[in-house]
C-alpha cells in the first residue's frame, strides 16, 4: 500500500516527464496546465494559487486516508 501511494504521488506531481512527452493540451496533467497559465497570464497569481490548491486536494486526501498504511510500511521496513 505504501509503495502504491508513493507511486501515485510521484506520477501526480511529475512535471518534467509530462512536459517532455506530451504534445497536445488534452492529455497534459494539471501541473502543466498551471505552467501554461503562468506563461500566458503572469499577473494573475490568485488564480494560479487557487488552481494549485485544487490540484493538491486529491493527493492530500489520499495521504490522510492512507496514513495508517504509510506508518506501518515505514515501521515494517525499518525493523526487517
Amino acid at each position: 500500500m505504501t509503495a502504491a501511494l508513493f507511486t501515485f504521488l510521484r506520477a501526480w506531481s511529475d512535471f518534467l516527464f509530462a512536459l517532455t512527452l506530451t504534445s497536445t493540451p488534452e492529455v497534459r496533467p494539471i501541473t502543466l496546465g498551471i505552467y501554461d497559465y503562468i506563461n500566458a497570464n503572469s499577473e494573475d497569481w490568485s488564480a494560479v494559487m487557487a488552481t494549485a490548491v485544487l490540484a493538491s486536494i486529491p493527493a492530500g486526501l489520499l495521504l490522510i486516508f492512507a496514513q495508517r498504511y504509510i506508518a506501518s510500511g515505514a515501521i515494517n521496513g525499518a525493523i526487517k
Side-chain angles (χ1 to χ4, degrees):
M1 183 69 177
T2 305
L5 178 69
F6 285 138
T7 302
F8 169 78
L9 291 175
R10 169 93 169 123
W12 183 260
S13 64
D14 197 7
F15 178 78
L16 189 60
F17 187 72
L19 182 65
T20 305
L21 294 180
T22 58
S23 58
T24 61
E26 291 82 21
V27 295
R28 289 188 176 173
I30 195 160
T31 52
L32 285 182
I34 293 172
Y35 178 72
D36 289 340
Y37 186 80
I38 290 172
N39 285 338
N41 305 314
S42 62
E43 301 292 323
D44 190 15
W45 286 101
S46 60
V48 172
M49 290 295 113
T51 307
V53 167
L54 288 176
S56 66
I57 288 174
L61 288 175
L62 189 62
L63 283 171
I64 289 170
F65 289 123
Q67 185 176 9
R68 174 179 20 153
Y69 300 109
I70 294 171
S72 70
I75 291 170
N76 289 339
I79 292 173
K80 289 183 180 179

